[in-house]
Amino acid sequence: MSRPVSVSLAAALVVLGVVLAVAPALAAGFTICGVSGCTGGAFGRATDPGLTLVLLLVTGVVAALPLAIYALTRRSPRLGAYALALAAVATLLTGLVIGSDLRGCPRDVSQETCLEEAA
């Protein structure tokens, strides 16, 4: 029989993960368009779709890591599933907030232009 899971501790771990995930989310927001932003400003837009995708995945992993570790120590498949769902939601929500499509390019830029700017 498994021990009961502390809901307040699990909630605190989710908050901790989300707070820690802010750093890679900010980095992903920076790499999607570069120093001048997506408008292209003074230095022009510089996209890096590969790094943006990696940082989006890192954001999800970091957000879910504290809850996943707790799930492993408690041997709780349900908490593990919640951690996996948290990772997916954090990744997709961060991509939505920074304006990324599923390729790591800005949504308002064509794929061809994005790949040209990445080179």
Side-chain angles (χ1 to χ4, degrees):
M1 183 128 140
S2 66
R3 298 172 290 173
V5 172
S6 170
V7 175
S8 59
L9 178 59
L13 291 172
V14 168
V15 170
L16 174 66
V18 169
V19 168
L20 292 174
V22 168
L26 288 174
F30 181 73
T31 62
I32 194 169
C33 291
V35 71
S36 295
C38 290
T39 60
F43 297 108
R45 183 176 45 226
T47 59
D48 191 349
L51 184 58
T52 300
L53 287 176
V54 168
L55 287 170
L56 287 173
L57 291 174
V58 168
T59 300
V61 169
V62 169
L65 192 60
L67 186 61
I69 291 171
Y70 184 56
L72 286 173
T73 59
R74 301 298 284 197
R75 296 185 180 167
S76 171
R78 178 180 285 171
L79 277 179
Y82 289 151
L84 186 61
L86 177 61
V89 167
T91 298
L92 293 173
L93 188 60
T94 302
L96 181 67
V97 168
I98 68 170
S100 175
D101 61 10
L102 296 176
R103 299 177 317 264
C105 293
R107 283 192 300 263
D108 59 347
V109 175
S110 69
Q111 183 176 8
E112 295 80 26
T113 305
C114 177
L115 294 177
E116 285 174 11
E117 292 172 350

